Amino acid sequence: MAAVEPGSAAPGVLSAAADMALRHGLPLNVVTVGPGTDPDPALTDALDRIRRQHPKLQCRAHTLSGKPVHEIAEAARQSWLLVIGTRGISGLTGMVRGSVSQALLQHASSPVLVVPPGQAEQPE
């Protein structure tokens, strides 16, 4: 499962999550937490790119509402791996993670892979 911020679609996170799903023959479930339940246009576009790159990969997107850490941790409860990103805005990239990624590292029941900003991005 991958979790991305609304509006960003985090291409590096989706690319890393797609690679892991393909390696293990599993579907890719992507969640974002935001207002409403309408699909996020950036996420829809990013998943379309992933589907074109990997036509055999099953992808589903879900928009959740509520507190991001709680909603993502709950959604990841049945996942074998949670892939998340970090924006790296603290100025201490690599040393301090964002508040959501840090909380998920502490509270998620599944293993967590944190993709740093700009990593694992693949051009279309």
Side-chain angles (χ1 to χ4, degrees):
M1 185 182 103
V4 297
E5 285 187 72
S8 75
V13 172
L14 292 178
S15 179
D19 288 345
M20 295 301 288
L22 285 166
R23 286 182 195 170
H24 296 279
L26 297 169
L28 173 59
N29 291 304
V30 181
V31 299
T32 189
V33 180
T37 56
D38 292 334
D40 178 52
L43 177 57
T44 301
D45 291 345
L47 280 178
D48 286 344
R49 284 191 301 276
I50 293 291
R51 287 181 181 113
R52 285 193 302 273
Q53 291 171 349
H54 309 289
K56 294 184 180 185
L57 180 62
Q58 295 177 10
C59 302
R60 284 174 287 218
H62 310 277
T63 301
L64 309 172
S65 61
K67 295 183 179 187
V69 172
H70 173 75
E71 295 300 324
I72 294 168
E74 188 62 32
R77 191 172 295 279
Q78 300 299 319
S79 296
W80 66 275
L81 177 67
L82 171 60
V83 181
I84 59 174
T86 182
R87 292 183 282 169
I89 59 175
S90 69
L92 300 172
T93 303
M95 296 180 74
V96 178
R97 301 284 169 228
S99 59
V100 173
S101 59
Q102 185 65 42
L104 286 167
L105 284 168
Q106 294 174 357
H107 300 291
S109 59
S110 63
V112 179
L113 170 63
V114 180
V115 179
Q119 298 296 307
E121 293 184 24
Q122 297 176 357
E124 188 172 341

